[in-house]
Amino acid sequence: MNTFRLHILAADRVFYEGDCESMIVPTGHGQYGVQAHHSDMIAAIIPGMLTFRVAGEERFAAVSAGMIKIEKNEVLILVDAAERPEDIDAVRARREADEAREALLQKNSIREYRSAQAALARSINRLRVKEHLMMGK
């Protein structure tokens, strides 16, 4: 099977580096599929579930906002955070979502409001990816 080189870099660590058969990445224009020898491009990534296939095994990750660059059969993904579903603490994610919802109800500055919106989106995304893994078992 044809593969491409994939680099998934979170702000604090290398999440994955290696060969990849295919992937689906969340973008502002919907889910975007990538296979070997894809045309060169750059796009924004939105919080969502990243799916990628390595050696016939499908893998998942909850990703935050970032960007994808495809060039010469090499894919670079830069995101603020990337987590495997099994590493997500659902209780903590629910608590963070509740705290973010509460912060949205407060009379805060625009900056604080947007920060709360981002925290809520991040928590909901983490929970969706975790639930996807649980439903698959």
Side-chain angles (χ1 to χ4, degrees):
M1 167 151 268
N2 283 332
T3 62
F4 56 90
R5 191 73 179 162
L6 175 60
H7 308 272
I8 302 174
L9 307 177
D12 61 343
R13 66 190 167 108
V14 174
F15 181 79
Y16 176 81
E17 284 190 317
D19 290 334
C20 182
E21 297 166 3
S22 64
M23 70 181 303
I24 299 172
V25 62
T27 72
H29 299 290
Q31 300 285 19
Y32 198 85
V34 178
Q35 293 185 328
H37 308 292
H38 192 286
S39 58
D40 294 354
M41 62 155 282
I42 294 176
I45 293 175
I46 62 170
M49 182 167 62
L50 174 72
T51 306
F52 58 107
R53 182 173 289 280
V54 175
E57 175 191 344
E58 202 163 44
R59 299 182 185 185
F60 305 96
V63 295
S64 61
M67 59 141 317
I68 179 172
K69 179 182 102 171
I70 304 171
E71 186 175 44
K72 298 177 185 169
N73 209 39
E74 196 159 331
V75 176
L76 172 63
I77 293 180
L78 301 173
V79 290
D80 291 328
E83 291 180 276
R84 290 175 177 80
E86 57 271 17
D87 295 337
I88 296 171
D89 181 346
V91 172
R92 185 175 133 227
R94 280 189 196 90
R95 186 179 65 244
E96 290 170 348
D98 290 343
E99 290 170 0
R101 283 186 188 100
E102 182 63 32
L104 286 172
L105 297 174
Q106 304 300 317
K107 301 287 184 200
N108 295 320
S109 69
I110 294 295
R111 187 172 139 237
E112 291 169 325
Y113 182 81
R114 288 193 178 136
S115 178
Q117 281 182 315
L120 180 58
R122 190 170 42 252
S123 297
I124 290 172
N125 177 52
R126 294 174 71 227
L127 287 168
R128 283 185 184 148
V129 171
K130 180 74 171 184
E131 288 170 6
H132 181 268
L133 174 71
M134 301 303 270
M135 291 174 61
K137 287 188 175 183

